[in-house]
Amino acid sequence: MPETTPVTSTFVPGLPALSAQAERLIELGVHEIAGLPADQFRSFAKAAEAPEGASDTLLAVHPDVAPASALAPLLCREGKPGFVVTDMPDVDDFAPLDTVTLPDGPLYLLTGVDRGDRMANWSPDEALPALTAEARTPMVLTEGIHWVLQQPEALERNHCFMTIGSRLRKANGTLDARTPAIWISNGTGRDGRERRNAPKVGWCWAGNRHTWLGFASATGRTAG
C-alpha cells in the first residue's frame, strides 16, 4: 500500500433524520427531476426512519431517474451553485462498477458513509482493492452529490473526495481512465473566477494520487 499523509481532518458524518433528508430533497426539487411525487419521498423516509430520529443513513435517488448532471447544480457553497467541469460532458454515462450493485427502485439507503481521509494520497487503483478488503463499497457519483446536498460540511478545502464506484466503460469493454470526484473550485482555468469556492464535479486519472482527495465509501445499500 502507498504511504499515507497525515490526516488533519477527522470528519464524522452526523446526517439529519431521514424525514428531514426527504424534505431537503423535495425543497430542492429532486422529486421533480426524478418524476416522483413528493409524498413518495416522505413515505419512504418515514418507513425507514430510526425511532430516535437521528440517522447515520443517507437517502439516495437512483441515478437512472436523477442523474449527476441534474443534481450537481443543486450543490451550493458560499452562495455559489455546483457545476460539472466542461471536459466531462459524458458525466451521466459513468455507471456503477460491476462490483457495485444499486438497489432496485428509485429510492434507496446508504449506510456507514465515510469520506476516506485516511486514503488521501492514494490512487483510485490503489484504493479500490483496499476498500473491498475492508468490506466497504465505493460511492457512486450521485451518492456523493446526495451526501453533500444533505451535509455540505462533508466537502472541505483540502479534504474532498472521489466517488470511484462510478466508471465509464468504453465500447470495447475496457474502463475509461477517468474517475469522478467532488471538490471545491479554485476559480482557475475554464472554471472561471466567478466559480471560485463553488462545489465542482470533475475527474482524476485512475492511476494518479492527490493529497487532498479521499475515497467516499459506505458499508452497504438497502432498498429501505
Side-chain angles (χ1 to χ4, degrees):
M1 294 297 175
E3 294 182 2
T4 58
T5 54
V7 176
T8 57
S9 176
T10 55
F11 177 78
V12 177
L15 286 161
L18 288 173
S19 58
Q21 292 186 44
E23 292 301 328
R24 170 68 172 156
L25 295 179
I26 293 166
E27 175 189 356
L28 291 169
V30 176
H31 65 299
E32 295 174 341
I33 292 171
L36 300 172
D39 282 346
Q40 186 170 342
F41 280 65
R42 295 187 176 106
S43 60
F44 181 89
K46 182 178 180 180
E49 192 148 47
E52 64 273 15
S55 176
D56 63 353
T57 303
L58 178 67
L59 174 59
V61 183
H62 200 290
D64 283 353
V65 296
S69 63
L71 295 176
L74 303 180
L75 295 169
C76 186
R77 187 176 186 274
E78 298 185 3
K80 297 180 179 181
F83 66 99
V84 180
V85 294
T86 58
D87 57 352
M88 204 176 182
D90 51 0
V91 63
D92 293 335
D93 294 330
F94 282 71
L97 288 169
D98 292 343
T99 55
V100 174
T101 301
L102 304 188
D104 292 332
L107 305 176
Y108 66 95
L109 304 174
L110 199 68
T111 55
V113 298
D114 178 71
R115 195 169 62 185
D117 290 357
R118 69 193 184 283
M119 290 182 175
N121 208 33
W122 292 33
S123 72
D125 286 342
E126 293 161 337
L128 183 58
L131 290 173
T132 302
E134 295 174 2
R136 298 192 63 85
T137 178
M139 279 193 194
V140 300
L141 176 56
T142 51
E143 293 168 348
I145 295 174
H146 277 295
W147 186 13
V148 180
L149 287 176
Q150 299 291 352
Q151 199 169 32
E153 60 269 29
L155 209 60
E156 298 180 72
R157 277 225 173 263
N158 300 317
H159 295 288
C160 301
F161 58 86
M162 297 191 201
T163 53
I164 60 174
S166 293
R167 294 292 293 272
L168 177 65
R169 193 168 293 278
K170 299 178 182 178
N172 64 6
T174 61
L175 292 176
D176 186 281
R178 293 173 294 167
T179 56
I182 306 172
W183 70 92
I184 300 167
S185 174
N186 285 326
T188 56
R190 286 179 288 182
D191 287 3
R193 284 185 293 178
E194 70 280 3
R195 282 176 164 164
R196 178 171 173 78
N197 295 323
K200 172 178 177 176
V201 172
W203 57 269
C204 302
W205 298 119
N208 286 6
R209 299 175 179 175
H210 298 276
T211 59
W212 44 277
L213 287 174
F215 294 86
S217 67
T219 53
R221 300 175 179 84
T222 62

